[in-house]
Amino acid sequence: MSAGLEHVHHIAVIATDYARSKSFYCDILGFTLISEVYREARDSWKGDLALKGQYVIELFSFPSPPARPSRPEACGLRHLAFSVNNLDSSLAWLESRGVVCEPVRIDPCTDKRFTFFTDPDGLPLELYEK
């Protein structure tokens, strides 16, 4: 028996500045905004973002969200990782748009290259070369 899980449906991200984060995920990372709604009762935006046609991120804004504990490592979600075909070209793209990336590392278990960077609110993101 199992819970019957099929795949990850979406990942929810809360932004302090919705427009800035929407621009980061869409204009820099290449997500597509597939729907967007303002929820007046919550004073909150909700945008659904797709990657290559697949719904992946639910982007929210809320008034005055608390800061995310990050360092030292906090319990809970650690980071989001995205696979890329060519890490060097992905790094060049990000860095040309002002995104600071950590030095490239090698995964000792797979010998694959990877790096980390953050979204506008400091959420850790990883690029992992296929």
Side-chain angles (χ1 to χ4, degrees), residues 12-89:
V13 174
I14 297 173
T16 56
D17 182 328
Y18 179 78
R20 180 179 68 167
S21 289
K22 181 173 73 169
S23 176
F24 175 82
Y25 282 96
C26 293
D27 300 335
I28 295 175
L29 296 187
F31 283 84
T32 303
L33 181 67
I34 55 176
S35 71
E36 183 175 55
V37 63
Y38 179 71
R39 302 171 315 165
E40 189 172 351
R42 293 180 172 203
D43 189 21
S44 168
W45 281 97
K46 177 189 176 284
D48 295 332
L49 308 180
L51 186 60
K52 299 194 183 270
Q54 181 180 347
Y55 172 49
V56 177
I57 291 181
E58 194 172 61
L59 183 63
F60 289 100
S61 68
F62 290 104
S64 305
R68 176 188 188 275
S70 183
R71 288 180 170 72
E73 296 287 351
C75 185
L77 179 67
R78 186 172 182 185
H79 63 267
L80 304 180
F82 302 101
S83 64
V84 297
N85 287 319
N86 184 310
L87 187 59
D88 294 326
S89 64

Side-chain angles (χ1 to χ4, degrees), residues 86-104:
N86 184 310
L87 187 59
D88 294 326
S89 64
S90 296
L91 283 171
W93 172 266
L94 292 173
E95 291 171 350
S96 74
R97 281 145 183 86
V99 177
V100 176
C101 299
E102 293 182 2
V104 172

